[in-house]
Structure formats: structure tokens, C-alpha cells
Amino acid sequence: CDIPDRLSPEQTLQQALREKRLLPYFQPILRLRDRRVVQIELLARLLDEEGEIHEAGSFIPLAEQSDLILEIDRMMLRHACGLLQGLFRPLIKQHSLRISINLSGKHLVNHDHIMRLMGIIEEEGVSPGYLIFEFNERELSRQDSDALASLHDLRSKGIQISLDDFGTGFS
């Protein structure tokens, strides 16, 4: 049979990661009272080989299963830090904006994962106070007590913590 070699979904995601086809997508968060942008949420999007952009729901579950999520999260954190040092710098200073990043709860179960995130922030020269790490409520409820210690560690370094999708799961 002449069946063309096809990559598995995991291999396709790995290739997209290598080729830097995982892109940051920005969603403004407004204060309703005055419609002022007070925060920018950075979300990951996948650009496929045909140039189509895919929402996170189409690849994040696979990334979580295959542990590629850790690398994707670090890539998105680098994007956020780069923007804080570049394009967003005037906005951040003038309006006290923060960037929030959705991260996997898998970072919280291993101190080395937390240290790698902090290392990126230090390498990029960004103040941790401009960052908000968002963790999904459902996923966080599945973690052990080490996750709570990691959250306290991140807070002590100046990073704000946010619970994403609160009220849709365990609580």
C-alpha cells in the first residue's frame, strides 16, 4: 500500500512548537465602569501548516497529556516578557497594565518547573509584579499539597495568582 506517512497529533504539535507556530493571542480585560483596559490576557493559538489559526481547545488537551504544555507555557511566558520589555512597555508604565498568562497546573507539582518560569522572568528583565499566572480551577483541584506551596512561592516573588474558570468545577 502506498499510504503517505502522516505525523501523529503529538508529532504535529511538536513540529509546530519547533517551528514556532504557537502564537500569542491577546484578549483585553476591561473595567466596566470606565471601559479602560486594565489587563491583557495572553492566550496560545496554533497556526497550522495551511495558515489557519486554531483555538487553544483544539490542542491544549493534547499538550497536557503529552507534557508539551510545559514547553508551550514557557514559550508564551517569553512572549509576554518580550512584550513587557518592548511594545507594551509604555502602556504598562502609563496605565499600570498587567499581562495574565494561562499556565498548566503541572508547573506547580515540581519546584524545578517553578524555577524555570522564574528564570525566564529574570532573563528577560521583567518585574514579576506585571505578571498574573492563571491556573485552571479544575486542574488545580487535582494537584497535591505541593501545588499550594508553589503558589505561595510564586506570590512571594511578586507574581499575582488568578484562578481561571472559577466556579465551573470543583468549587
Side-chain angles (χ1 to χ4, degrees):
C1 290
D2 285 329
I3 299 174
D5 290 334
R6 297 210 179 219
L7 297 176
S8 71
E10 184 177 339
Q11 290 170 322
T12 301
L13 187 55
Q14 286 173 331
Q15 182 177 355
L17 195 54
R18 275 192 311 275
E19 294 173 358
K20 300 196 184 322
R21 287 188 284 112
L22 286 147
L23 308 173
Y25 176 85
F26 303 98
Q27 177 175 298
I29 297 175
L30 305 172
R31 185 171 51 207
L32 294 178
R33 179 173 19 110
D34 57 4
R35 293 182 155 176
R36 193 177 126 216
V37 176
V38 293
Q39 188 175 320
I40 298 166
E41 184 172 8
L42 185 147
L43 305 165
R45 295 293 184 256
L46 174 68
L47 180 66
D48 68 20
E49 291 176 319
E50 289 78 38
E52 186 177 336
I53 295 177
H54 297 269
E55 301 266 331
S58 70
F59 65 92
I60 292 296
L62 174 63
E64 284 281 352
Q65 289 173 353
S66 63
D67 284 339
L68 289 172
I69 192 67
L70 299 172
E71 193 172 342
I72 291 170
D73 285 353
R74 289 190 293 266
M75 177 186 279
M76 290 300 118
L77 179 57
R78 282 196 189 280
H79 279 297
C81 289
L83 288 166
L84 284 167
Q85 288 295 74
L87 183 65
F88 289 177
R89 187 177 210 144
L91 294 172
I92 298 298
K93 292 196 183 257
Q94 184 179 4
H95 301 288
S96 301
L97 289 178
R98 292 187 172 151
I99 293 182
S100 68
I101 305 162
N102 290 297
L103 296 174
S104 170
K106 290 184 177 193
H107 292 282
L108 300 173
V109 297
N110 185 321
H111 186 69
D112 290 340
H113 295 318
I114 294 296
M115 295 312 296
R116 286 186 79 179
L117 295 174
M118 293 309 301
I120 290 169
I121 295 167
E122 287 176 24
E123 285 170 27
E124 299 290 334
V126 169
S127 170
Y130 291 123
L131 295 167
I132 301 169
F133 286 178
E134 289 189 28
F135 296 97
N136 183 288
E137 180 211 4
R138 277 193 186 143
E139 188 179 318
L140 201 55
S141 68
R142 294 183 204 131
Q143 305 300 334
D144 60 19
S145 61
D146 289 339
L148 188 57
S150 293
L151 289 171
H152 285 296
D153 194 24
L154 288 169
R155 287 282 301 142
S156 72
K157 293 177 182 352
I159 294 174
Q160 188 174 335
I161 304 298
S162 179
L163 199 54
D164 199 20
D165 298 331
F166 181 73
T168 62
F170 184 73
S171 66

